[in-house]
């Protein structure tokens, strides 16, 4: 009886081993078929990654989210096949990854075409760009915008010249203050004149707080940061087109699109409903109102009818 039980156990073990070996290729295939959505380490990217994952799951895809990455790390991960889908910005791809000459002088469509062409040899496909343009801007407190009746950077510069008896603080992060395509050429293009004492370098997040508290006259901001709306900051029009466009665009590995023919259609439909107003509101809900990224993403998908 004991010998029979031993043989039975050995037979069951053999069968289990054979079953596991048979299932391994299926598990590997399932893992390979899971779409890995990447995201950078700021609010907008967390929201975009979550919306994308939830939407694609509704369409029957298996999705894994890997957010919280730096720009260069996310880029390397996608090039190495560790990420399948990311939301990238045209300006970032042009200036940081591909070093496209005179990228800042290109109009939005030409910039998009350049980065799409440059990334094709890397096996990366740029789908339709969203109207969401998270570029730099100069922001002023709402009170100043109303009192001075300014809507553009040129109008601000005229007001500053007329008020040259007073000091006006211009706040920005250290990177922008010191890089070759940052503060100095901006001042040259618009004819801005600030004393050294009027130029203040600070953490990017503190710029919004300083504007909100009327501690500075003008600050360097990002156009879709939730604090722009939450802190009543007015983003001035860049009427001489100094800042390049940073249109958010779904970028997908070519082999993934080949495996999933409908994926491009789904992601393009998502890109079509994203613009600055929509993103500003979602970023504000997270950064100012304290809502979770997951809840904000869920509300977005409930209120936007996607195919």
């Amino acid at each position: 009886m004991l010998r029979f039980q031993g043989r039975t156990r050995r037979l069951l073990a053999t069968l289990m081993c054979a079953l596991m070996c048979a299932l391994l290729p299926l598990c590997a295939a399932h893992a390979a078929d899971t779409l890995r959505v990447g995201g950078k380490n700021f609010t907008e990217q967390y929201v975009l990654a979550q919306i994308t994952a939830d939407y694609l799951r509704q369409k029957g895809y298996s999705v894994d989210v890997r957010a919280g990455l730096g720009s260069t790390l996310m880029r390397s991960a996608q090039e190495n096949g560790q990420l399948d889908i990311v939301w990238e910005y045209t300006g970032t791809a042009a200036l940081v990854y591909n070093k496209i000459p005179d990228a800042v002088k290109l109009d939005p469509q030409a910039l998009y075409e350049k980065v799409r062409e440059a990334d094709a040899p890397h096996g990366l496909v740029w789908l339709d760009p969203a109207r969401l343009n998270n570029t730099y801007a100069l922001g002023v407190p709402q009170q100043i915008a109303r009192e001075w009746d300014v809507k553009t950077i040129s109008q601000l510069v005229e007001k500053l010249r007329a008020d040259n008896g007073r000091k006006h603080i211009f706040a920005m992060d250290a990177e922008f203050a010191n890089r070759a395509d940052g503060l100095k050429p901006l001042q040259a293009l618009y004819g801005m004149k600030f004393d050294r004492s009027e130029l203040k370098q600070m953490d990017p997040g503190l710029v919004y707080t300083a504007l909100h508290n009327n501690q500075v006259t003008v600050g360097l901001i990002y156009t879709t940061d939730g604090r722009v709306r939450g802190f009543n900051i007015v983003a001035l029009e860049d009427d001489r087109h100094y800042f390049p466009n940073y249109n958010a665009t779904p970028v997908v590995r070519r082999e993934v699109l080949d495996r999933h023919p409908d994926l491009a259609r789904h992601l393009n439909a998502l890109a079509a409903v994203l613009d600055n107003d929509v993103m500003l509101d979602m970023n504000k809900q997270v950064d100012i109102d304290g809502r979770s990224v997951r809840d904000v993403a869920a509300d977005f998908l409930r209120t936007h009818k996607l195919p």
Side-chain angles (χ1 to χ4, degrees), residues 40 71-72 75 88-108 110-116 118-119 126 133-136 175-176 179-182 185 222 238 241-247:
K40 301 184 187 185
S71 291
T72 55
R75 170 71 175 202
E88 192 51 86
Y89 302 94
T90 51
T92 303
L95 298 172
V96 179
Y97 308 144
N98 294 302
K99 306 291 192 299
I100 295 174
D102 296 325
V104 295
K105 298 179 181 179
L106 299 174
D107 64 58
L111 186 65
Y112 166 76
E113 296 291 347
K114 283 285 187 182
V115 296
R116 185 174 66 172
D119 272 350
W126 285 67
N133 177 26
N134 188 7
T135 187
Y136 291 105
E175 179 186 347
F176 185 80
R179 75 187 196 196
D181 62 341
Y222 295 98
D238 176 19
H241 310 290
Y242 176 74
F243 298 114
N245 268 54
Y246 286 78
N247 286 106

Side-chain angles (χ1 to χ4, degrees), residues 24-269:
L24 277 175
L26 295 177
C27 293
H30 176 74
D33 207 39
T34 296
L35 300 179
R36 296 157 298 180
V37 176
K40 301 184 187 185
N41 54 356
F42 55 94
T43 299
E44 180 167 298
Q45 283 277 309
Y46 284 110
V47 173
L48 288 173
Q50 189 67 52
I51 288 172
T52 303
D54 291 348
Y55 174 54
L56 292 180
R57 286 177 185 132
Q58 291 176 7
K59 295 300 176 183
Y61 298 93
S62 174
V63 184
D64 179 30
V65 177
R66 302 177 186 181
L69 307 173
S71 291
T72 55
L73 179 59
M74 188 177 82
R75 170 71 175 202
S76 295
Q78 190 174 33
E79 285 186 345
N80 295 333
Q82 297 168 300
L83 293 174
D84 300 316
I85 304 167
V86 304
W87 285 86
E88 192 51 86
Y89 302 94
T90 51
T92 303
L95 298 172
V96 179
Y97 308 144
N98 294 302
K99 306 291 192 299
I100 295 174
D102 296 325
V104 295
K105 298 179 181 179
L106 299 174
D107 64 58
Q109 184 62 32
L111 186 65
Y112 166 76
E113 296 291 347
K114 283 285 187 182
V115 296
R116 185 174 66 172
E117 179 183 348
D119 272 350
H122 300 289
L124 303 179
V125 178
W126 285 67
L127 301 180
D128 293 351
R131 289 170 293 163
L132 164 58
N133 177 26
N134 188 7
T135 187
Y136 291 105
L138 297 190
V140 297
Q142 189 177 71
Q143 179 182 346
I144 287 179
R146 287 176 175 171
E147 288 179 359
W148 289 6
D149 189 27
V150 295
K151 297 180 176 64
T152 70
I153 298 178
S154 292
Q155 290 173 342
L156 174 68
V157 171
E158 289 178 8
K159 290 292 185 180
L160 291 172
R161 285 175 183 159
D163 198 31
N164 59 10
R166 294 176 53 197
K167 282 190 175 295
H168 295 282
I169 304 300
F170 182 3
M172 72 211 75
D173 61 78
E175 179 186 347
F176 185 80
N178 295 292
R179 75 187 196 196
D181 62 341
L183 175 63
K184 287 185 178 179
L186 172 68
Q187 287 182 286
L189 178 65
Y190 279 101
M192 290 181 178
K193 297 188 183 302
F194 287 94
D195 293 336
R196 184 182 295 272
S197 63
E198 294 177 299
L199 300 172
K200 297 296 182 183
Q201 299 178 30
M202 58 181 68
D203 179 88
L206 294 179
V207 173
Y208 298 92
T209 303
L211 286 166
H212 179 56
N213 294 332
N214 289 296
Q215 295 169 307
V216 302
T217 303
V218 58
L220 182 76
I221 61 173
Y222 295 98
T223 51
T224 59
D225 192 292
R227 289 164 291 192
V228 172
R229 180 162 291 176
F231 288 171
N232 295 318
I233 296 168
V234 176
L236 299 176
E237 178 189 344
D238 176 19
D239 53 304
R240 294 195 177 183
H241 310 290
Y242 176 74
F243 298 114
N245 268 54
Y246 286 78
N247 286 106
T249 307
V251 180
V252 189
R253 292 195 302 118
R254 165 57 66 189
E255 62 184 78
V256 174
L257 288 176
D258 291 342
R259 289 204 312 269
H260 301 281
D262 291 332
L263 183 59
R265 177 170 58 85
H266 292 141
L267 291 173
N268 285 336

